[in-house]
Amino acid sequence: MIIVTGTGRCGTQSLNKCINYCERCFSFHELLKISFDKSNHRIMYEALGKIIDGERSKNFIFADCSLIYTFHKELFPRLLPNLKIVVLHRDKESTVRSFKNWVAQHSIFNRAPWKDIFPPMTFFKALNEDEYWNRYWDYCNNIYNTQFNEGCFHLNMQDINNDNKLVEMFDFCEIPSQYQKLLPDRKFNIGPRNANPELFTLTLN
């Protein structure tokens, strides 16, 4: 299984489409809506275990691209070697600006599941939205530089448009070369291409 994570607003949707374009690869964007709270570790561990079992039985490669995995890295060693981790990076200024525009359009903090997925304002002792997103980016970046510094593939957002970098990532994720296909128009505003939900059903109890 492939896990792609990042701060959010960093290209996870675009990379999701690139993985999904490969043969026998089924990638999701934010399949698991698990909160920032560490009390959800058991649910996430069991869910990822079911996905990995589904891979083995169906001979497919599954992926989920979501920022939530940033906050639950300590679970991953228990699922290795079946897990490949990709970390997407975007510069701080662009990420903060994108989040502020996104919040203005969608009011994410006022509706589920986003109000639970992101750390609360009090977590960063932020006095305003601008301070919150800057501290959020710093917090995530520190996690990537410490907890995700080994055994992961790091990719800059702009490299999604780089054929060589994308093939390098596919190889790291052990996608067989005969299944690898490059999405011809890798723009950040291309329309969604979601995996067929009938091919794999995840049931959480």
Side-chain angles (χ1 to χ4, degrees), residues 7-25:
T7 59
R9 316 306 299 165
C10 60
T12 51
Q13 290 193 51
S14 295
L15 193 55
N16 165 58
K17 295 165 191 141
C18 292
I19 296 171
N20 213 0
Y21 195 71
C22 294
E23 295 180 13
R24 302 195 70 78
C25 292

Side-chain angles (χ1 to χ4, degrees), residues 38-49:
K38 304 293 185 182
S39 64
N40 288 290
H41 272 181
R42 184 189 63 82
I43 296 174
M44 177 176 283
Y45 179 76
E46 291 178 356
L48 292 176

